[in-house]
Each structure stands twice: as C-alpha cells, then as structure tokens.
Amino acid sequence: MKYTKQHGLSLIAVAIISMLVASLGMAFLYYMRYGHLPMQDMWARFGKAAAVIGNDVKDGTGLPTGSNEGPGMRQAATTSEGVRRCTVDGKTVYSDTLCLDTNPTTKKIKLNDSKGMEPPKAAVAKDDSTKAADSAYSASMTNEEMKKKIMEQALGKSAPASSAADEDLRLKAMNRAIDKATK
C-alpha cells in the first residue's frame, strides 16, 4: 500500500482552530469572573475618545452639543427634570429631543429613582430594661452553663449529669449538635 498524499486538515488549520477554541475558552472564563468581556472595555475607551473628538468637531463647526445651546434642545433626563411623553406619527414616544414644547401632545412625566440593592436596615434598638436584663443574664451564666443550655435545647430535654463520664458524653453530644446547627 502506497500513501502518496496526506488526507485531512493541515497542521496550520489545526493550529488556527486550536487558537480559536483557546481564545473562546479564555473569553468565557473572563466573562464568568468579571461579568463583561475585555472588548467592551476597549469599545468604551474608543467611545470616550470618539466623544471627545466629536465634541471638538462640534465646537469647531458651531453645531449644538445637546445642552441648552440650540433651539428646542433640553438637558438629559434626570429624576428631578423627568422625561417628556408625546405622540409622533401616531406612536407614543418618551423623549426629550423629539417631544418639543411646540408639540401639543407633550406631557412631562416624573421619574422615580430606584436605589437598586440596598443594605439591610439596622436592627431596632432594645429598651434599656431589656438591655440590662440581657447583660445581667449573660454575665451570670458561665460558658459551660450556656453550652448545657444549648445542648438541652438541641436535644429537647434536660439530662442530669451524675458523673464525669456522663458530663463528657453530654459535652460531646452538645458539640455535635452545635456543629450540625452551624453547618
């Protein structure tokens, strides 16, 4: 049997496919860790540079930049300013640039600022009488007594200790109960 020509993918094609698979895997791992891709950061940087260049061009040409410079132009929508709603070509539009004062269907809509995820509220302060009672109670109990009380609550009954061996057994059971409760 004579082999005159090799069949299948060339070594260069295998290398290119391996690089593509590796780059997709790295992009996936980066996305899973940071929640966005590095290309998004680069596009944002290029977007900022483009905005700076665009503003320079607008300043040089005298075109309005979106502030109160041009006729009918408003500032961006904020919670204090709100947004405008109007009907343009039979469609309801929420816009600050399309809904001008000259449009009779323009209405001002107030925006509500949602704070998103907030930290939990602080615990309500206890009365002075309950604070004093709690501090007196915790000061009067020793560490061993507190362990016994926790063990009794975990086991659901109180077991009197008659000897040192029984006490050790109770402590081991209590430690197991505490370990189960904390896991």
Side-chain angles (χ1 to χ4, degrees):
M1 186 178 332
K2 292 184 181 179
Y3 291 109
T4 58
K5 188 172 180 181
Q6 179 181 0
H7 296 287
L9 293 175
S10 69
L11 187 59
I12 294 172
V14 170
I16 291 172
I17 291 172
S18 298
M19 286 189 291
L20 289 174
V21 169
S23 63
L24 287 174
M26 288 175 18
F28 175 73
L29 291 174
Y30 188 91
Y31 178 76
M32 291 304 291
R33 181 171 184 180
Y34 296 110
H36 65 281
L37 295 174
M39 289 303 290
Q40 292 170 333
D41 294 336
M42 290 192 328
W43 287 326
R45 279 191 222 148
F46 288 137
K48 288 178 186 175
V52 169
I53 293 169
N55 288 336
D56 289 343
V57 169
K58 287 179 184 178
D59 289 342
T61 59
L63 294 173
T65 59
S67 60
N68 289 333
E69 296 175 9
M73 299 292 280
R74 296 188 57 226
Q75 291 181 347
T78 61
T79 55
S80 60
E81 289 290 318
V83 70
R84 293 181 176 200
R85 181 185 75 182
C86 65
T87 304
V88 177
D89 297 329
K91 295 180 183 177
T92 302
V93 178
Y94 294 91
S95 173
D96 287 335
T97 56
L98 295 177
C99 300
L100 301 175
D101 292 331
T102 57
N103 190 341
T105 60
T106 299
K107 292 182 182 175
K108 189 173 182 179
I109 307 291
K110 185 178 179 192
L111 299 176
N112 294 326
D113 185 20
S114 65
K115 294 182 175 58
M117 298 294 290
E118 292 182 349
K121 304 274 190 255
V124 178
K126 294 182 180 180
D127 298 358
D128 290 336
S129 61
T130 57
K131 283 183 184 178
D134 287 344
S135 62
Y137 179 71
S138 62
S140 66
M141 288 185 69
T142 64
N143 193 18
E144 291 298 320
E145 290 173 347
M146 290 178 81
K147 285 182 180 180
K148 287 179 186 176
K149 185 165 179 97
I150 291 171
M151 187 189 77
E152 289 171 359
Q153 288 176 353
L155 296 177
K157 59 182 177 182
S158 63
S162 59
S163 67
D166 289 343
E167 184 66 28
D168 289 340
L169 215 76
R170 283 177 43 131
L171 286 175
K172 287 180 184 177
M174 178 196 59
N175 287 334
R176 275 189 245 121
I178 290 173
D179 288 342
K180 281 184 181 179
T182 57
K183 286 185 182 178

